[in-house]
Amino acid sequence: MRRLLFLAGGPVLALALSGCRNDMHHQAKIKPFRESKFFADGASARALPEGTVARGFLREDSALWRGHGPDGKFVEQIPVPLTRALLLRGQERFNVFCSPCHGRTGQGQGMIVQRGFKRPTSFHADRLRAERAGYFFDVITNGFGQMSGYAVQVTPEDRWAVVAWIRTLQASQHMPGDFLEKGDREHLDTAALASQPEPAASGHSPSKKSSLSSSETK
Amino acid sequence: MSQIFNRSTNAIARLSIWGAVFILGGVGWAASILNRSAYNTNQGVTVKQPVPFGHEHHVAGLGIDCRYCHSFVEKSASAGIPPTATCINCHKLIWSDSPMLEPVRESFRTGKPLNWRKVYDLPDFVYFDHSIHVAKGVGCVSCHGRVDKMRLTAQFPSLQMEWCIACHRNPEKFLRPKDRIFDLTWAAADQETLGRDLAKQNHLRSTVALTNCSTCHR
């Protein structure tokens, strides 16, 4: 009988010790993405009820938040100040969210397109070069064709930054040659020569090489 | 009434009194090994998910940035598990009839979230915040390991407090420049100098403040 008690004591002690652990590790509270038994769909994070506006989210300025004026026409210009910081932010967001399909240069040959997604129109096509800034904002927000909207991932402020970056990419492909400063122009010519499939090694003049290195050290 | 113990148990009794130090030491040692083992910490353990999502394919194979799916990692405590709509962005056209992805399509049709299981399950008394770690210069790879090499996602560190504290005591060993946070392959040439500079530049709090209980527990 006593031996039985001894034998039973071990498991009871183990059970008691393991019981210490779990209350605090798994508290009866909701952390992000935790399941909720209360709601039918099991999600603890709830969507905003239709027709309601959260405090601080009344976005009256239609141009800024929706990309079109009160007349419903897309705004011509980006309605936030263009700064270097905005362009760099736009570049970063573009590379994260847009480049998988549009490619880093906006030609529309990103990796997902190479794996079979429908190829988007190049940003350098005439139609998209002529579009107003608000149009791009609207497409990022609501999607277009096979593209889903990115309103959830990209905030309105970031959407304008991305639009600014799209404009930068467009400008980069249609810059008149004499617009460039002398060093940059030579740099570009050297790069174009270097990237040709059949290198004309003898055609490379040493002066061009030196201009490349000097522009890089600038 | 017969004797419970045989005469030979005397020897065992004497031996165990003298050996108590070693026995207790041995038990303590075994407990510490067990405590640090994967059996207890889940280090290196994968979790069965509703869809066998492969980070290796999406990150290394396609070059998708961490933030495309974990969009809130720079701004909020939780990095964000992507909504099913994010999967559908690409998988509406790619692998769109794969039986493996049927749970994804079903979730998108019904609006019922996929029941992704947590791989990094911190105790509820830890208040971890992704955004502050990113802002101060801790890269994804420091805690999540080479996710780009994981077919199925596993827990990289032990997640025991000694592991957290090791970095909170010497954060300069892990800090990296802002534009390298999401780069899983980057390593500093001179981490010691860089880390010290970044700690100053990013206004890291003192070791005393960083190892204060209330920094992580409240």
Side-chain angles (χ1 to χ4, degrees), chain A residues 2-3 21 23-29 31-35 40-43 89 92-93 95-98 100-101 104 111-113 115-118 145-150 152-153 155 158, chain B residues 1 4 40 57 61-65 67-69 71-72 74-75 77-83 85-86 88-94 111-113 115 117-118 121-128:
Chain A
R2 261 192 227 176
R3 200 177 288 182
R21 183 188 150 98
D23 302 356
M24 296 299 277
H25 277 243
H26 303 286
Q27 299 167 20
K29 66 180 176 188
K31 280 188 148 186
F33 301 105
R34 189 162 286 178
E35 187 179 359
D41 64 0
R89 176 75 182 172
E92 188 198 72
R93 296 292 116 173
N95 288 345
V96 171
F97 293 104
C98 316
C101 288
R104 292 205 168 197
M111 183 55 93
I112 305 303
V113 172
R115 295 300 168 94
F117 205 85
K118 188 171 182 288
Q146 288 295 342
M147 173 186 158
S148 312
Y150 280 76
V152 174
Q153 290 99 320
T155 64
D158 282 345
Chain B
M1 190 182 155
I4 294 173
N40 182 41
H57 166 66
L62 302 175
I64 297 174
D65 192 283
R67 291 164 288 181
Y68 186 90
C69 301
S71 317
F72 312 117
E74 295 158 295
K75 278 184 132 180
S78 163
I81 298 295
T86 302
I88 295 293
N89 282 352
C90 298
H91 287 296
K92 66 167 103 172
L93 291 186
I94 295 175
K112 194 171 174 353
N115 200 354
R117 312 306 310 185
K118 244 175 153 24
D121 194 7
L122 290 177
D124 282 359
F125 47 78
V126 177
Y127 290 78
F128 179 82

Side-chain angles (χ1 to χ4, degrees), chain B residues 180-201:
Chain B
R180 297 293 183 190
I181 300 285
F182 300 94
D183 189 337
L184 298 170
T185 56
W186 182 86
D190 179 7
Q191 179 65 46
E192 209 175 311
T193 322
L194 177 80
R196 238 182 290 126
D197 290 349
L198 283 172
K200 214 173 278 171
Q201 194 184 313

Side-chain angles (χ1 to χ4, degrees), chain A residues 17-96:
Chain A
L17 281 174
S18 67
C20 297
R21 183 188 150 98
N22 285 324
D23 302 356
M24 296 299 277
H25 277 243
H26 303 286
Q27 299 167 20
K29 66 180 176 188
I30 297 293
K31 280 188 148 186
F33 301 105
R34 189 162 286 178
E35 187 179 359
S36 163
K37 300 261 187 274
F38 186 77
F39 297 103
D41 64 0
S44 58
R46 309 306 303 167
L48 216 55
E50 219 163 298
T52 59
V53 177
R55 216 167 242 275
F57 283 82
L58 181 60
R59 290 168 166 177
E60 283 182 300
D61 187 341
S62 176
L64 186 62
W65 300 108
R66 284 173 287 282
H68 54 73
D71 56 353
K73 273 192 182 161
F74 291 128
V75 292
E76 184 78 49
Q77 300 290 330
I78 295 167
V80 294
L82 280 182
T83 59
R84 185 182 164 77
L86 185 86
L87 289 185
L88 290 176
R89 176 75 182 172
Q91 179 187 33
E92 188 198 72
R93 296 292 116 173
F94 183 91
N95 288 345
V96 171

